[in-house]
Amino acid sequence: MKMTMSQPAVDWYKNELDLKSGDSIRFHIRYGGCSTVQKGFSLGIVQENPDQPAASVEQDGLTFFVEEKDEWYFDGHDLHITMDEELNEPKFGYE
């Protein structure tokens, strides 16, 4: 599994969550919501340090990651996080 983040998405998380260099954000699986890869589940975020990352991206001194125990959710897809400029929020793409 690979993970990418656009710079505008990194900037959005940094500003919205008041992140500082050295902080880490985990994308985790939560029950409910809408997804194109797993019905009835969606991605959530929590600020914590990586334990056993399946994929990670380091930009601007920040680490964004997915743990191995959540890799099943992606069903063999890579995660690409960009910005939806119209909604001014992150957008998750799966390839």
Side-chain angles (χ1 to χ4, degrees):
M1 174 184 174
K2 293 180 184 174
M3 181 177 173
T4 62
M5 289 191 71
S6 69
Q7 188 61 49
V10 171
D11 293 341
W12 187 90
Y13 281 104
K14 189 188 315 184
N15 293 330
E16 288 293 315
L17 302 175
D18 194 29
L19 299 175
K20 309 278 186 282
S21 183
D23 287 344
S24 297
I25 295 294
R26 175 180 165 212
F27 292 93
H28 67 94
I29 311 316
R30 54 184 207 152
Y31 184 70
C34 182
S35 166
T36 58
V37 290
Q38 297 291 342
K39 299 225 185 286
F41 295 92
S42 60
L43 287 180
I45 60 169
V46 63
Q47 189 172 347
E48 67 182 33
N49 292 323
D51 181 34
Q52 295 180 320
S56 66
V57 171
E58 292 184 27
Q59 285 180 233
D60 294 357
L62 305 171
T63 302
F64 299 88
F65 67 99
V66 172
E67 286 287 342
E68 285 181 359
K69 65 184 177 184
D70 292 329
E71 192 173 10
W72 65 269
Y73 171 84
F74 299 94
D75 195 28
H77 296 87
D78 294 331
L79 173 62
H80 304 286
I81 304 169
T82 58
M83 281 297 292
D84 184 320
E85 298 301 332
E86 283 185 27
L87 298 175
N88 190 34
E89 64 184 26
K91 178 170 61 172
F92 303 111
Y94 308 95
E95 294 178 11

